[in-house]
Amino acid sequence: MEIRDLRRCRALGLAGTVALALGGLTAGALPNGARFYLSPGQRHVFGLAGAGTVVAVAGLAVLIGAWLRLRPLVYGQPRAAHTVLLWWGAPLVLAPPMFSRDVYSYLAQGALVGRGLDAYTVGPAALGADPLVAQVHPLWLQTPAPYGPVFLALAASVVAVTGAHLVAGVLGMRLVALLSVAALAVGVPRLAPRCRVDPGQAVWLGVLNPLVLVHVVAGVHNDALMIALLVTGLLLASGHRRDPSAPSWRMAAAVVVVTLAALVKAPAALALAYLAPRWAARIGGRWRLPLGIGATAGITVATAAAVTAGTGLGLGWVDALKTPAIVHNGLSVSTDVGDLLTAVVPGIDWVTGARAVGGLLAVIVCAWAWLRRARLGTPAAVGLALGALVLLGPVVHPWYLLWAVVPLAAGSRDPRVLRWATRLSVALSLVILPHGVALTFRGVAEGVAGLGIGLVVLALSHLRHLRQMGQGQPVPVDAQPADHPGRDGRDDRVVPELLPGVDVGDVYLDERAAEQGAGVPDRVRVV
């Protein structure tokens, strides 16, 4: 029964990502005036752009529904979750970029580095007539890169191979994102048992999350690289099952890897504050905390200096961190409160004040998580701290939530936290249309239509499932157990008569238990 349900759920999610990819051909974040499989003229003939939005949003709704149904089916089965990830991700691998145009900015910033220009002082407009410039959102044409030298060096390497070829450039950046997802698929189920978290559930929430498929695989965001390095660092710091306290060499490696994550996107540096006490505990002695903090700080500085010198990009990225704060997209609570107060009482810089209050609250949550790190566990404490940083920060994008969700998926056992992580993942997956630009009335109407179609598909699928369950799948009954004394090791699918009064149509064999070596009497379940 569970295997059949798993296959049905896998097929439903696959249908969703196929629809998402097909819709993206005409409604994705497509290049301006350039071909991406289809020419601009072909994309807009007969209203295909609007139809693409409807199809893509319908596919997204079906994907989210399949993901929610999948949760109980992958409990204790990370391999099954990995298989589903391959099935659901495959249609998006060659799809156009969707839900954001940031990948074009990545390529333009990589081109700046490749030409020897300082991406931390000039924007993509400095490339002049380069074809990549035409694809960058106007908001970012004059703004410096807010990313660290590790990512800019990778982007420059991709552009060095693909040149100005847009399709090849996008697929090159997607390869970086896919490798990051693969690292998460390996790291998350390894980290989860060390935090007494089920690895199947951890993969379900942290790697199979719609935000990963939509904004990392389809949207090609570099956040996956930062999170993959962060999870790898947390895994190194967690030691192993027999000895949860990692030796000093592993702690040093963890600090190096987390520093590399911060040199992709700076918020990952917050995790270093939670690694230092862990290293201090390993050191022991009266001065363990100062020594732990000193060792962490020393390796962090050395790593950042080595990367900065090796890439030749300097320290300009530190000043460029304020770049994202120019965005007002309606998702940041602190910025929205400031905008509302400005509309009611103009003439006062309410936005700055509201953002300061949000920052102060985030600091309080981070301090609380740091003080409770022993009880929460380091991954969960880091996840809560990054969650506060995102939700109370000046700018919120849907994919930012992954900074918190992935560590929480691997490290938190609090059902309330996991429920909120699930709800926010669903909600933020639906707030951006496939083209990734400003909302219009027509676009919202198309999105609502697609959402309605997706919900109808999910309802019909659920009704079909209930109908099949009602019909039942009879299993032959024999007075002898299937695992008879001959012990041939086969699953004869014969139910022993151990439950008087229970009709054969009301029981089935727990196939997962069979894989674990249980006999038939232990595997009878009443439906």
Side-chain angles (χ1 to χ4, degrees), residues 445-460:
E446 293 165 350
V448 170
L451 180 62
I453 292 173
L455 292 176
V456 169
V457 171
L458 289 173
L460 292 175

Side-chain angles (χ1 to χ4, degrees), residues 176-432:
V176 174
L178 291 173
L179 292 174
S180 302
V181 174
L184 288 175
V186 173
V188 166
R190 288 176 179 268
L191 179 59
R194 304 179 191 191
C195 303
R196 292 179 291 170
V197 172
D198 178 75
Q201 295 294 286
V203 173
W204 174 81
L205 179 58
V207 187
L208 266 174
N209 196 300
L211 290 173
V212 173
L213 293 166
V214 170
H215 292 294
V216 173
V217 179
V220 205
H221 281 286
N222 60 4
D223 298 73
L225 177 60
M226 180 198 84
I227 300 167
L229 290 169
L230 175 62
V231 167
T232 303
L234 292 174
L235 181 60
L236 287 168
S238 67
H240 51 78
R241 294 180 183 178
R242 293 182 180 178
D243 183 8
S245 179
S248 292
W249 71 267
R250 286 177 65 102
M251 288 303 309
V255 172
V256 169
V257 174
V258 172
T259 302
L260 293 177
L263 294 175
V264 174
K265 299 191 81 168
L270 183 61
L272 294 170
Y274 298 82
L275 293 185
R278 195 174 183 89
W279 197 346
R282 184 69 183 189
I283 294 172
R286 180 178 180 182
W287 302 99
R288 59 184 180 275
L289 186 56
L291 289 174
I293 294 174
T296 302
I299 291 180
T300 298
V301 171
T303 303
V307 170
T308 299
T311 58
L313 293 175
L315 296 174
W317 63 278
V318 177
D319 187 59
L321 293 178
K322 63 179 181 293
T323 297
I326 64 177
V327 175
H328 292 240
N329 61 0
L331 297 180
S332 167
V333 174
S334 60
T335 300
D336 293 345
V337 169
D339 287 337
L340 179 62
L341 291 174
T342 300
V344 174
V345 186
I348 301 176
D349 188 3
W350 293 105
V351 172
T352 300
R355 286 177 167 179
V357 172
L360 177 61
L361 293 175
V363 168
I364 292 173
V365 174
C366 292
W368 173 84
W370 191 87
L371 293 172
R372 308 248 316 168
R373 65 191 181 278
R375 181 174 180 179
L376 294 170
T378 301
V382 169
L384 289 172
L386 288 172
L389 191 67
V390 170
L391 297 177
L392 297 170
V395 178
V396 177
H397 292 295
W399 50 93
Y400 285 7
L401 187 66
L402 291 171
W403 305 354
V405 167
V406 176
L408 288 172
S412 177
R413 300 184 303 275
D414 189 332
R416 296 168 299 176
V417 171
L418 299 178
R419 279 197 298 270
W420 275 105
T422 302
R423 292 166 182 167
L424 287 173
S425 296
V426 171
L428 291 182
S429 295
L430 294 168
V431 299
I432 299 179

